């Protein structure tokens, strides 16, 4: 093994990167008017402070998360000021755990039995990624979700169905969007269907009946119970504000700042309307193509081919088509990239991979420049600048999604079918 790709060096470098960023963040917060700490982290810690005083976390305006997060950050309310960064440390540690789980999956039989050196190379896309490390050390909680999602992948691939159900229910309670994975998991675990010629009606019945397996029933039961128990407990404690701020708010959310979505300009116009609820808003229908593609079409076409690759395609489509698209959301699919890349044309065709990465970063940079001129220089860059750059970024995302879907569609799903057959017989 190359001395540069040993677990000690890679994980040591990942820890060191986050430690340096945490310390730098303390310095910048103390001496710069532009704070390193994300505004969301102040929302989290304020909500935890309310909880520590026996009040609801939703007494903190703009807290739109599960109370579990505020509970977890209660140490940030302890007297010593050093505890304020407790949450950042937790999120950074979650990053490291996610990276370790990626290595475990890649080295397992179902993950390809990859060598330690090669698995560390791919895991480094997450572990040594400055964007990932910066987001967690600024105080974003996405790293916690990363642990849940990669653990879910490991549990399903290794047929730990009860654990997978609990993780899916917890993840959906924590962030909502992981519900899109349910169709892929059910199709992946479904019994294999005979490919012998038959009429359409029989074919549909066979596919539907294949979903009714002990594994799928167990997954559905455990995920539903976990999700409902958590929600009932939170509703009993905090009442309707829990439902409104954790779930219902996201249906009508209008957030045009730092939003890469092409809907950005429409959301801005809606937010500035004298009566935002008094007329029809086209962007309110954004969820229709988003869910059709990410939760229906992609699972139907790809789930039996490769589960991690399918989940990546789903997440990429969900984020790209979401009416609110921020840098933090990129973490949702970046954590699945190392599990997809070993069999990707983005790696086998180096020029294609470099072009895709350059265009993805470049169109983001173009949007950020337009956003900088708008927010810091006060220049109106909405049209064509901001909107045009958002369309370019969207186009690049759709092109990359096409590559991912094509790659996953070419993967051999025979091993999955064989394993499903074994499970269904036991």
């Amino acid at each position: 093994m190359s001395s540069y790709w040993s677990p000690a060096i890679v994980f040591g470098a990942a820890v060191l990167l986050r430690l340096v960023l945490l310390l730098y963040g303390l310095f910048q917060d103390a001496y710069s008017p532009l704070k390193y700490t994300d505004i969301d982290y102040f929302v989290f810690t304020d909500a935890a402070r309310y909880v520590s005083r026996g009040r609801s976390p939703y007494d903190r305006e703009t807290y739109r998360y599960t109370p579990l997060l505020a509970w977890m950050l209660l140490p940030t309310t302890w007297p010593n000021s050093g505890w304020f960064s407790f949450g950042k440390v937790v999120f950074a540690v979650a990053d490291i755990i996610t990276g370790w789980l990626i290595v475990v999956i890649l080295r397992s039989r179902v993950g390809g039995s990859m060598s330690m050196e090669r698995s560390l190379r791919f895991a480094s896309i997450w572990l040594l990624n400055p964007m990932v490390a910066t987001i967690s050390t600024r105080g974003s909680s996405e790293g916690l979700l990363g642990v849940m999602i990669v653990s879910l992948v490991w549990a399903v691939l290794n047929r730990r169905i009860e654990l997978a159900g609990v993780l899916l229910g917890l993840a959906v309670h924590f962030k909502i969007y992981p519900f899109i994975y349910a169709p892929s998991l059910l199709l992946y675990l479904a019994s294999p269907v005979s490919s012998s010629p038959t009429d359409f009606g029989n074919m549909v019945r066979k596919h539907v009946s294949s979903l009714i397996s002990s594994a799928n029933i167990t997954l559905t039961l455990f995920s539903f119970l976990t999700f409902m128990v958590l929600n009932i407990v939170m509703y009993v404690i905090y009442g309707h504000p829990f439902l409104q701020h954790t779930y219902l708010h996201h249906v009508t959310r209008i957030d045009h700042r730092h939003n890469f979505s092409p809907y950005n300009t429409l959301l801005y116009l809606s937010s500035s309307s004298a009566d935002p609820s008094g007329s029809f808003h086209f962007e309110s229908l954004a969820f229709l193509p988003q869910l059709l593609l990410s939760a229906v079409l992609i699972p139907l076409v790809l789930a039996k081919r490769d589960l991690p690759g399918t989940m990546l395609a789903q997440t990429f489509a969900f984020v790209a088509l979401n009416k609110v698209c921020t840098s933090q959301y990129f973490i949702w699919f970046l954590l699945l990239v190392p599990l997809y890349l070993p069999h990707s044309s983005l790696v086998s065709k180096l020029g294609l991979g470099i072009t895709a990465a350059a265009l993805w970063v470049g169109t983001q940079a173009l949007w950020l420049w337009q956003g900088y001129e708008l927010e810091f220089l006060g220049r109106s860059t909405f049209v064509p600048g901001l909107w045009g750059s958002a369309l370019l970024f969207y186009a690049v995302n759709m092109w990359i999604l096409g590559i991912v879907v094509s790659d996953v569609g070419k993967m051999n799903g025979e091993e999955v079918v064989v394993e499903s057959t074994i499970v269904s017989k036991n």
Side-chain angles (χ1 to χ4, degrees):
M1 181 188 298
S2 171
S3 58
Y4 294 107
W5 295 102
S6 68
I9 289 181
V10 171
F11 281 95
V15 170
L16 181 61
L17 171 62
R18 286 157 178 81
L19 180 60
V20 168
L21 288 173
L22 283 168
L23 294 175
Y24 170 77
L26 294 175
F27 175 82
Q28 182 171 327
D29 284 346
Y31 297 101
S32 172
L34 183 63
K35 303 303 181 185
Y36 180 82
T37 300
D38 195 302
I39 186 64
D40 285 346
Y41 189 71
F42 291 105
V43 175
F44 301 159
T45 54
D46 286 348
R49 188 172 298 107
Y50 280 117
V51 171
S52 70
R53 296 170 181 171
R55 296 172 60 181
S56 168
Y58 302 108
D59 287 344
R60 203 307 183 180
E61 189 178 355
T62 73
Y63 184 78
R64 316 293 189 189
Y65 312 89
T66 170
L68 290 177
L69 182 58
W71 295 0
M72 186 181 300
L73 298 185
L74 278 173
T76 62
T77 67
W78 295 351
N80 191 318
S81 61
W83 284 104
F84 179 75
S85 297
F86 172 80
K88 297 179 183 180
V89 175
V90 170
F91 304 153
V93 170
D95 279 355
I96 303 300
I97 295 173
T98 299
W100 173 75
L101 288 167
I102 290 171
V103 172
V104 169
I105 292 174
L106 291 175
R107 285 184 52 76
S108 67
R109 184 177 64 86
V110 291
S113 301
M114 198 175 290
S115 68
M116 176 61 79
E117 179 178 347
R118 191 159 186 255
S119 65
L120 286 170
R121 289 177 184 270
F122 286 110
S124 294
I125 296 170
W126 172 267
L127 286 168
L128 303 181
N129 190 320
M131 178 182 175
V132 173
T134 300
I135 286 176
S136 62
T137 54
R138 290 188 68 213
S140 171
S141 63
E142 307 303 333
L144 295 176
L145 192 68
V147 174
M148 298 177 204
I149 298 304
V150 179
S151 296
L152 173 63
V153 174
W154 177 88
V156 173
L157 291 178
N158 288 277
R159 298 304 193 273
R160 307 291 179 88
I161 307 302
E162 294 86 354
L163 175 60
V166 171
L167 289 168
L168 179 60
L170 176 61
V172 175
H173 170 80
F174 202 87
K175 208 67 175 185
I176 306 179
Y177 90 87
F179 82 89
I180 65 174
Y181 300 138
S184 289
L185 300 180
L186 294 174
L187 289 165
Y188 179 84
L189 294 170
S191 303
V193 178
S194 171
S195 59
S196 57
T198 182
D199 64 83
F200 180 75
N202 284 334
M203 181 178 68
V204 171
R205 282 191 291 272
K206 282 186 176 182
H207 278 86
V208 171
S209 63
S210 71
L211 292 171
I212 306 174
S213 64
S214 60
N216 278 343
I217 292 173
T218 301
L219 179 72
T220 302
L221 181 63
F222 274 77
S223 59
F224 179 77
L225 286 176
T226 301
F227 179 71
M228 290 307 299
V229 166
L230 287 170
N231 287 340
I232 290 171
V233 169
M234 298 306 168
Y235 183 79
V236 168
I237 298 174
Y238 298 112
H240 182 72
F242 159 70
L243 293 179
Q244 176 61 39
H245 295 290
T246 305
Y247 298 118
L248 301 180
H249 162 77
H250 298 282
V251 178
T252 58
R253 179 182 181 187
I254 296 178
D255 187 352
H256 58 86
R257 290 185 178 274
H258 315 118
N259 182 2
F260 292 95
S261 169
Y263 297 103
N264 174 51
T265 304
L266 289 173
L267 291 173
Y268 177 82
L269 294 174
S270 296
S271 69
S272 61
S273 171
D275 183 15
S277 60
S279 59
F280 172 77
H281 298 288
F282 175 77
E283 70 276 7
S284 64
L285 300 178
F287 72 93
L288 292 176
Q290 178 190 32
L291 294 185
L292 178 63
L293 183 60
S294 64
V296 179
L297 297 180
I298 289 176
L300 284 174
V301 174
L302 301 181
K304 277 294 187 183
R305 294 290 182 177
D306 178 73
L307 181 62
T310 301
M311 292 172 66
L312 170 63
Q314 288 182 272
T315 315
F316 200 92
F318 186 90
V319 172
L321 292 170
N322 200 31
K323 66 179 181 180
V324 177
C325 177
T326 69
S327 297
Q328 292 180 359
Y329 294 0
F330 301 158
I331 299 297
W332 298 355
F333 59 76
L334 282 176
L335 61 93
L336 293 166
V337 167
L339 303 177
Y340 150 78
L341 279 183
H343 310 289
S344 168
S345 60
L346 295 174
V347 171
S348 61
K349 300 176 181 177
L350 189 58
L352 178 64
I354 293 174
T355 301
L359 288 175
W360 191 71
V361 173
T363 49
Q364 279 186 70
L366 179 62
W367 188 98
L368 289 170
W369 172 249
Q370 299 298 319
Y372 170 79
E373 288 200 326
L374 173 67
E375 295 190 16
F376 288 88
L377 303 182
R379 297 172 184 167
S380 179
T381 59
F382 287 106
V383 179
L386 204 64
W387 189 57
S389 58
L391 288 176
L392 285 174
F393 184 56
Y394 173 81
V396 169
N397 278 327
M398 290 299 100
W399 175 59
I400 294 174
L401 176 62
I403 295 173
V404 174
V405 169
S406 177
D407 287 343
V408 177
K410 295 173 184 177
M411 292 183 185
N412 188 353
E414 293 179 359
E415 183 177 345
V416 173
V417 173
V418 171
E419 290 180 354
S420 296
T421 304
I422 294 172
V423 171
S424 64
K425 290 180 178 179
N426 289 339

